[in-house]
Amino acid sequence: MAGEKKTVVKPFRMTEKEAEKLKSDAKQRGMKESEYIRLLMSQKPNDYPEIRILLRDLINEVNAIGNNINQITRSHNSKLYREEDRELLSAYMKKLNLLVKEVVDTLGNQ
């Protein structure tokens, strides 16, 4: 793709603010605006190591919480369920929700 001749021109409109952001982002990376737009189009999640790290950490935490939830469920099915188990389960779910929200907020700000 890099060696292909670029023959198609795509004019499009943007606001002054968008145009300035495009210009500054491209300049910050030492690229022409057109090169920067092509880079953005070709990127995949694997191109963002910080996202991979966030998702890996989230997956590890979800797995740990899932193991704890499984233990509580096993206790419940064995008729050994206690009030503390219900409280723990609620705490784990709150922690899981907070972790997911944190990752979503972080990804939304990039």
Side-chain angles (χ1 to χ4, degrees):
M1 189 168 174
E4 291 182 39
K5 185 174 181 182
K6 295 163 184 68
T7 58
V8 178
V9 176
K10 292 283 189 178
F12 58 94
R13 297 178 191 272
M14 60 176 60
T15 65
E16 290 289 329
K17 188 176 182 180
E18 291 169 334
E20 190 55 43
K21 180 165 176 31
L22 174 61
K23 183 178 180 179
S24 70
D25 288 353
K27 184 178 180 182
Q28 186 178 22
R29 288 165 179 76
M31 305 172 85
K32 296 178 185 175
E33 292 177 20
S34 58
E35 291 172 327
Y36 181 63
I37 290 172
R38 284 191 292 275
L39 172 70
L40 291 175
M41 287 177 16
S42 68
Q43 286 184 321
K44 300 168 189 66
N46 288 340
D47 295 335
Y48 298 95
E50 60 277 358
I51 292 175
R52 285 187 302 188
I53 291 168
L54 274 173
L55 292 177
R56 184 196 65 218
D57 292 346
L58 178 62
I59 288 169
N60 289 341
E61 195 65 36
V62 167
N63 286 338
I65 291 171
N67 287 335
N68 293 333
I69 291 171
N70 284 339
Q71 290 172 357
I72 292 170
T73 303
R74 201 170 14 259
S75 294
H76 176 70
N77 290 339
S78 301
K79 308 293 185 220
L80 301 173
Y81 191 71
R82 302 170 306 185
E83 183 62 27
E84 298 92 45
D85 291 333
R86 187 183 69 73
E87 292 169 7
L88 269 176
L89 184 59
S90 178
Y92 288 136
M93 292 307 296
K94 286 178 185 175
K95 182 177 181 181
L96 183 58
N97 286 333
L98 287 174
L99 289 168
V100 170
K101 183 183 181 323
E102 182 181 312
V103 169
V104 168
D105 289 344
T106 302
L107 293 178
N109 291 331
Q110 293 186 0

